[in-house]
């Protein structure tokens, strides 16, 4: 869980809603593929990209978000975990827990 990443994505959403005001309404979210376009989105005078503006805004106003990438160090490892395998492990743990609860109930009723 990364609160910094959540805040960064909220900031990006806010910028998008501001720049698209009156065109598309207030978006509640965006597709992750949209993030790849931040470096290509330019100001009206073509002098600044949204990525540069975002970086400068974070540096000046939200410096605590500057290190949000540090929260993502384990993402490559987590991406290697097979979802089916993870679901099977969780299911096995849940089954074991249910057995444990039954055993505890039995032990308390029959000391």
């Amino acid at each position: 869980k990364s609160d910094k990443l959540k805040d960064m994505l909220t900031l990006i959403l806010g910028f998008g809603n501001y720049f698209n005001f009156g065109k598309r309404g207030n978006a509640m979210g965006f597709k992750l593929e949209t993030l790849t376009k931040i470096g290509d989105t330019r100001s009206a005078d073509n002098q600044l990209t949204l990525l540069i503006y975002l970086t400068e805004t974070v540096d000046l106003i939200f410096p605590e978000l500057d290190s949000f990438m540090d929260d993502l160090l384990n993402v490559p490892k987590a991406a290697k975990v097979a979802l089916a395998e993870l679901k099977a492990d969780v299911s096995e743990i849940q089954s074991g827990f249910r057995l444990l609860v039954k055993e505890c109930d039995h032990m308390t009723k029959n000391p």
Side-chain angles (χ1 to χ4, degrees):
K1 178 181 174 189
S2 172
D3 289 332
K4 290 180 186 177
L5 176 61
K6 179 180 145 192
D7 291 344
M8 181 64 82
L9 294 174
T10 301
L11 183 62
I12 293 168
L13 177 64
F15 279 147
N17 283 336
Y18 176 78
F19 294 131
N20 290 317
F21 181 75
K23 297 176 189 170
R24 299 182 190 158
N26 255 359
M28 298 299 292
F30 57 86
K31 294 180 181 178
L32 288 179
E33 64 192 34
T34 304
L35 295 175
T36 62
K37 299 174 185 172
I38 290 178
D40 299 330
T41 305
R42 295 193 159 277
S43 59
D45 63 4
N46 218 20
Q47 296 294 311
L48 197 63
T49 66
L50 180 54
L51 180 61
I52 292 170
Y53 185 74
L54 179 64
T55 303
E56 290 175 355
T57 301
V58 167
D59 287 345
L60 293 172
I61 302 172
F62 304 103
E64 69 279 4
L65 298 181
D66 199 31
S67 62
F68 84 96
M69 290 293 291
D70 295 344
D71 292 354
L72 307 179
L73 294 176
N74 291 321
V75 170
K77 290 179 191 174
K80 292 179 183 177
V81 175
L83 186 57
E85 186 178 322
L86 186 59
K87 285 181 179 180
D89 289 347
V90 169
S91 180
E92 188 177 325
I93 291 169
Q94 288 173 329
S95 295
F97 183 72
R98 282 191 291 273
L99 272 168
L100 182 62
V101 168
K102 284 182 182 179
E103 183 85 21
C104 287
D105 283 347
H106 180 71
M107 295 294 282
T108 54
K109 291 176 183 174
N110 303 309

